Amino acid sequence: MAETNLGNPDLNRVERDLADLMNQAGKMRMLSHRTVMFGLLSQVDPRHGQSRDAALSEFCRLMAVLSEPKTAGKLGPLALSALTEVTAISGAHLETLRQFSILAQAAIDGRKGSETFEELGDFVGGRLLADLNSIVEGVQRAIEHVGKRRADAKRPLISKMETSLNQLDRLAKSLQIVATNASIEAQRAGDAGRGFRIISEEMRNLSQQSRSQAEHLGSLFEDVTHSGGV
């Protein structure tokens, strides 16, 4: 998968697009069962033929999305790369989907020698269901793959933030030490130590500001490390 900068909204879009694709694959399970169910009912009452045809038509539309995710599914290169890297949708999967669409249409047309809807039900409950489940699991792997890349992209920034926080903490401690020493020198010098007292107060203020800023950055650091699965 191509490298993506942290904060690039492409990763969010990729995860959304893949989640939509997974939902569409899941929907195809329902559509295949509806095609067979209304196919059986249409043999008794032809009025169910319209629902049967609509279910098969929608199944074929979604099959085109899975077969051509770049064009029909309008997925970008990052999403396509994730699908490829985890082998989410194989040629064997797509062949099973095409076979169902061909067999179902043949049953609708009543072609000689074609499978009946009763026989097609076995195919739907067996091989087709297994392959659709496999596709859903494959797209889920692709989503997890993108999430891992998001976590990997954050790690360099998190390392830099940790270094900055440590440096800021050391600075605050150093300022506090300087402020304490200046205060001691001011007490020793009496009236002549007025300048030390001013320096002590300024250093103490800087130390407090540094600690406050460190706490604020620490809070932001927690937000970054606990978001996006890091």
Side-chain angles (χ1 to χ4, degrees):
M1 184 183 296
E3 293 295 335
T4 302
N5 294 329
L6 179 62
N8 192 322
D10 282 351
L11 285 178
N12 293 326
R13 179 177 178 180
V14 167
E15 289 178 326
R16 288 197 302 269
D17 288 348
L18 290 175
D20 287 341
L21 188 67
M22 184 171 65
N23 290 335
Q24 290 169 345
K27 185 179 180 181
M28 293 177 73
R29 294 178 296 199
M30 178 269 293
L31 290 169
S32 63
H33 284 88
R34 284 177 63 87
T35 300
V36 172
M37 178 185 71
F38 285 117
L40 292 171
L41 291 175
S42 66
Q43 295 173 357
V44 178
D45 185 347
R47 289 177 297 180
H48 290 294
Q50 185 174 359
S51 297
R52 173 204 63 200
D53 295 347
L56 180 59
S57 177
E58 180 66 3
F59 180 95
C60 291
R61 184 186 73 80
L62 295 180
M63 179 176 67
V65 171
L66 296 182
S67 300
E68 297 291 340
K70 181 178 180 180
T71 53
K74 299 180 180 179
L75 294 186
L78 292 178
L80 293 171
S81 179
L83 291 172
T84 300
E85 289 185 25
V86 301
T87 318
I89 306 172
S90 69
H93 290 150
L94 297 177
E95 180 57 33
T96 298
L97 303 185
R98 284 192 289 268
Q99 186 175 355
F100 169 74
S101 65
I102 293 171
L103 294 175
Q105 190 59 58
I108 291 172
D109 296 339
R111 297 175 196 166
K112 185 177 181 180
S114 64
E115 292 190 9
T116 64
F117 279 106
E118 288 87 350
E119 295 169 333
L120 192 57
D122 294 333
F123 179 81
V124 168
R127 179 178 167 188
L128 180 63
L129 180 60
D131 278 10
L132 283 172
N133 286 339
S134 179
I135 291 174
V136 169
E137 292 169 0
V139 179
Q140 178 60 46
R141 290 197 305 274
I143 294 173
E144 293 170 354
H145 185 69
V146 173
K148 182 178 181 300
R149 291 304 296 264
R150 181 194 299 280
D152 291 343
K154 283 186 176 181
R155 288 194 179 97
L157 176 60
I158 290 173
S159 178
K160 291 179 181 179
M161 290 180 68
E162 287 178 329
T163 300
S164 297
L165 283 171
N166 290 334
Q167 291 174 342
L168 193 56
D169 184 60
R170 288 195 296 270
L171 175 61
K173 291 178 180 178
S174 297
L175 289 172
Q176 184 63 41
I177 292 172
V178 172
T180 300
N181 291 337
S183 178
I184 293 173
E185 292 300 326
Q187 291 176 3
R188 288 176 178 174
D191 292 340
R194 182 180 178 185
F196 283 113
R197 284 195 295 272
I198 294 174
I199 292 174
S200 174
E201 288 300 320
E202 289 297 325
M203 288 297 182
R204 187 171 288 107
N205 289 335
L206 286 173
S207 176
Q208 292 174 348
Q209 292 173 15
S210 297
R211 286 188 178 278
S212 177
Q213 187 64 20
E215 291 175 357
H216 175 65
L217 290 176
S219 177
L220 294 177
F221 177 75
E222 288 296 318
D223 290 342
V224 170
T225 55
H226 287 89
S227 64
V230 179

